[in-house]
Amino acid sequence: MVVAPNASITKRTVESSAPYVALGLLYAYLLYLSWTPDTLRAMFASKYWLPELPSIVRMFASEMTVASAWIHLLAVDLFAARSVGRCTTTASRTTSKPGTRSRCACSSARLGSCIMWRLRY
């Protein structure tokens, strides 16, 4: 999106839901492999049913849990990049102004949205 906003592959990627489906299936599979009844029991062992730090540390000792967390963060980052990137790509196409500065600033979804709103092309 930053390098070639007008390329056909960028347009197809922005409009496609295939990356979300793939990441969602992979995330569900990794959660299925990593979460066991012991994991859930350890996570919600307190009287308030909230996770405690020692339980979280034990849970993230498993490689599958770390992999599922990484896929989760990747999906969230992709969603943020797609929603903010689509807006800046569309704005740069319609106004003929380069949007690289805004797209680079939008690497953080909330902060980037505020920066993009402030710049307003």
Side-chain angles (χ1 to χ4, degrees):
M1 286 186 226
V2 174
V3 177
N6 293 323
S8 63
I9 191 167
T10 305
K11 292 176 187 175
R12 285 192 312 247
T13 304
V14 168
E15 295 167 0
S16 175
S17 61
Y20 298 105
V21 172
L23 286 173
L25 290 173
L26 183 60
Y27 180 59
Y29 178 69
L30 288 173
L31 275 182
Y32 173 74
L33 291 177
S34 66
W35 285 53
T36 63
D38 293 333
T39 307
L40 293 175
R41 202 172 304 118
M43 279 295 293
F44 303 108
S46 73
K47 66 178 185 177
Y48 300 111
W49 289 80
L50 294 172
E52 294 177 343
L53 190 57
S55 302
I56 294 170
V57 169
R58 267 186 272 126
M59 186 183 72
F60 278 103
S62 167
E63 289 181 6
M64 285 296 175
T65 306
V66 173
S68 65
W70 183 75
I71 294 296
H72 174 83
L73 293 175
L74 187 63
V76 169
D77 287 348
L78 180 64
F79 178 76
R82 179 181 179 192
S83 60
V84 173
R86 183 186 318 153
C87 184
T88 57
T89 302
T90 304
S92 67
R93 270 194 233 133
T94 57
T95 61
S96 299
K97 293 181 181 179
T100 307
R101 177 182 61 184
S102 294
R103 281 192 293 279
C104 290
C106 292
S107 60
S108 168
R110 290 186 184 115
L111 177 63
S113 296
C114 292
I115 292 171
M116 191 182 80
W117 176 78
R118 178 72 176 115
L119 292 177
R120 287 281 175 137
Y121 284 97

